[in-house]
Amino acid sequence: MTSLHIKISFAFIVASLALNAQQDSIPLSKKLIDTTDVKYDRLYQQFLAEKEKPIKSLWKLDLAGSGVLMPAISYEHKMGKNWSEETFVKFGLPWKDGFFPMKFEWEVDQQLKYYYNFKKREKYGQNINGFSGNYVALEVFSGEDYQPKPDVTGAMLVDKRFFYGTGLRYGMQRQIGQSAYFDIYVGLRFLGGNQETSVYELPMDRYSNSVLDRSWHLTPTLGIRAGFDLGKMLTLNKQRTEARSVWKFNLADLGILHTNIGYERFLSHNWSLDTYIGAGLEEMEAFRDNNTFFDYDANYFPTIKIQEQLRYYPAITNSLSGTYAALAAFGDLFYKDYRINVTDLYNTNHAGKVILLKKYGLSTEIGIQKTLGKIGYIDLFGGLKYEVQEYPVFRAPNGEWPGYTILTRNHFVPVIGMRAGIVIIRGQNNR
């Protein structure tokens, strides 16, 4: 071997050793720098950088309890890591059973909440921002509402209920996406107040009253509130989301045991078919007479509501969003709890009856449907419907009570309403 070959071989060996030494230094250097503490610190700093801004207060629009002329709004404010206070206000003129709004109704509920599982949810990486947790609450409340009932004489009987009290509540509140929420709760209320049955004359400018105080009593409560963060809801989604069809979950007619699902699909560029089905147990404040005092509590009655609507959008839309004109067929099958204070009318005891009723007909409507945020929607509509409605009238045959007769009336009724909620599924638009 020549001296040149020896020099080349030696240079190759030195270069290989240097390269191996350099490669060995890389993992050694990483091992010294990327310790467990450094890794966790880096992850924590990344988490802080991406963490959403803490929510200290929240304005909420409760769609499950709202109507077009009767909004339900609440304001929840943080008082500490686990404590908050919430004020709920509901007021306006509701439409009931096809009758025009008759009297102003209202309800106020003040709660002091304690969220007991924030620490556990944080431990498992679950979101607690936006008051997402389980809670117990102390509440005080008061309110006034009305229930219209036709009378055999042709006058309108109206139950006015004034109530107040305090109670304990257990609930579960969760944030849905960035703008929606739901709150399911159960509780026990200590309730008092009075009930007044008024006989409104046809001009509805005077009435006679029969007032009956209710003794204080305990009654269970069960309910759901669902809707949107009011601030984020008002920011409409400007991006048009194309869809061939949409499944809609209507929160504006939602009960704890009552669902309301809509499905709208395109028939052509301007025409769509919209189907709504609501079914379940609908909550009603039902009156009762236990021979000691006349009180009420929540009862649940089966009901099913179906509507098939043919819509025409004048402006071509790819997102089922815009103004529309519609022709609809509808049918309802439901139970109603009719209770009446008949002391002044028949000089007898208070009585009532749970009655199965039907309602069906056709309607023409004009509406506007818009997207709210990323997953929300709202549908406001008005029009005129021709309705075949069953309703009971009360009488006392042979001096006995209760007595009633189910009558049918065919009439035109103004339509005004709102559907609002979240879009569950958007079908791909492949037109």
Side-chain angles (χ1 to χ4, degrees), residues 255-260 277-283 300-305 333-335:
I256 190 70
L257 300 173
H258 189 277
T259 58
N260 195 314
I277 298 179
L281 299 178
E282 193 168 10
E283 181 181 2
Y300 295 88
F301 301 97
T303 180
I304 182 168
K305 305 175 182 179
L333 186 65
F334 55 95
Y335 282 90

Side-chain angles (χ1 to χ4, degrees), residues 245-254 258-265 272-279 305-309 311 320 369 377 379 419-427:
S245 62
V246 290
W247 285 92
K248 297 177 284 188
F249 188 47
N250 178 29
L251 299 177
D253 189 17
L254 183 67
H258 189 277
T259 58
N260 195 314
I261 302 292
Y263 176 64
E264 185 174 2
R265 62 275 191 197
S272 75
L273 198 62
D274 189 38
T275 304
Y276 264 95
I277 298 179
K305 305 175 182 179
I306 301 175
Q307 177 181 280
E308 192 69 54
Q309 189 178 76
R311 292 184 173 184
L320 293 168
Q369 181 169 269
Y377 81 96
D379 184 1
R419 290 192 177 110
I422 58 177
V423 174
I424 305 173
I425 301 173
R426 284 186 174 91

Side-chain angles (χ1 to χ4, degrees), residues 45-97:
Q45 294 300 325
Q46 184 178 356
F47 169 76
L48 291 179
E50 297 178 355
K51 184 177 175 63
E52 59 181 329
K53 185 178 179 180
I55 297 175
K56 295 183 179 180
S57 61
L58 194 65
W59 283 96
K60 295 179 284 186
L61 175 63
D62 174 26
L63 297 177
S66 290
V68 173
L69 302 176
M70 191 165 189
I73 301 173
S74 62
Y75 174 74
E76 185 167 1
H77 179 74
K78 200 169 185 179
M79 299 177 65
K81 182 174 182 180
N82 299 90
W83 292 87
S84 76
E85 60 90 17
E86 180 173 4
T87 304
F88 173 83
V89 180
K90 181 178 178 180
F91 58 93
L93 296 169
W95 293 66
K96 293 185 177 180
D97 300 337

